[in-house]
Amino acid sequence: MSRSTALLWWAGLLGLLNAAPSYYWAFGGGVLLETIGTWLIDLRDELPVLTGLALLGIAVSKTLAVLIPLAAAHLLRFRVRPSRDLRTVAAGSRGSPYAASRRLASSRLSRRPDLWWNVSRLIAAALIIYGAAGLLVNAGLLLWPGLDLQDPTARLGQALLWYPMLLVWGLVLAAGLRRVRATPAA
């Protein structure tokens, strides 16, 4: 691992740590669920399958938000360029049609490193904005004098755990993307 990609790997670790509870809750776990809100506990009691699928979708989205920047950095860093025309790859490849279609898809992805790079930047920006906004809103609700909260455990969990984790993930990802972009390509 190069020094320029170390921050991306740390961001990936933070992202997977953020996704892990969603996988756990999707398959029926209950620890820390009250830090999200009693509404989710009630919804999971009423519609367990749909809630589990929604939580699984959230977990998979977070996992993709980890993998896309790592792949984008790899594509940008090594600038994989196919040496043959795509039709030649598909028509004259050895082996199974599956191998040909895999090489064809790989060639298409590798021709667009800037697209994946921009998606990675959008992921970092969304994490920073969403994390900061959620942190400010929940901290504001907790600190507002005389405000009677219906679900203080959820507000504390979101203000002290979930939104700060998203914010830190986004900041580390943005720093890693900046560092990789500044490093000369191999």
Side-chain angles (χ1 to χ4, degrees), residues 84 86-101 103-104:
R84 296 184 288 174
L86 292 178
R87 284 169 285 187
T88 308
V89 170
S93 65
R94 296 182 191 118
S96 70
Y98 172 75
S101 66
R103 280 192 291 274
L104 184 64

Side-chain angles (χ1 to χ4, degrees), residues 35-149:
T35 62
I36 300 298
T38 55
W39 64 271
L40 184 57
I41 295 169
D42 296 339
L43 185 64
R44 195 167 82 169
D45 290 341
E46 292 174 21
L47 302 166
V49 174
L50 288 177
T51 307
L53 288 174
L55 287 166
L56 186 60
I58 290 168
V60 169
S61 298
K62 289 177 181 180
T63 304
L64 286 174
V66 167
L67 296 175
I68 288 172
L70 291 171
H74 177 75
L75 290 173
L76 184 72
R77 189 162 165 78
F78 296 106
R79 293 276 180 180
V80 178
R81 300 227 189 254
S83 59
R84 296 184 288 174
D85 184 51
L86 292 178
R87 284 169 285 187
T88 308
V89 170
S93 65
R94 296 182 191 118
S96 70
Y98 172 75
S101 66
R102 211 167 113 202
R103 280 192 291 274
L104 184 64
S106 170
S107 298
R108 287 180 184 157
L109 287 176
S110 63
R111 286 183 183 220
R112 303 299 308 251
D114 291 331
L115 170 71
W116 296 109
W117 190 258
N118 289 331
V119 170
S120 300
R121 290 173 44 194
L122 283 173
I123 290 169
L127 288 169
I128 292 169
I129 292 168
Y130 187 66
L135 175 61
L136 290 173
V137 166
N138 284 291
L141 289 172
L142 286 169
L143 298 174
W144 195 271
L147 186 62
D148 184 30
L149 295 175

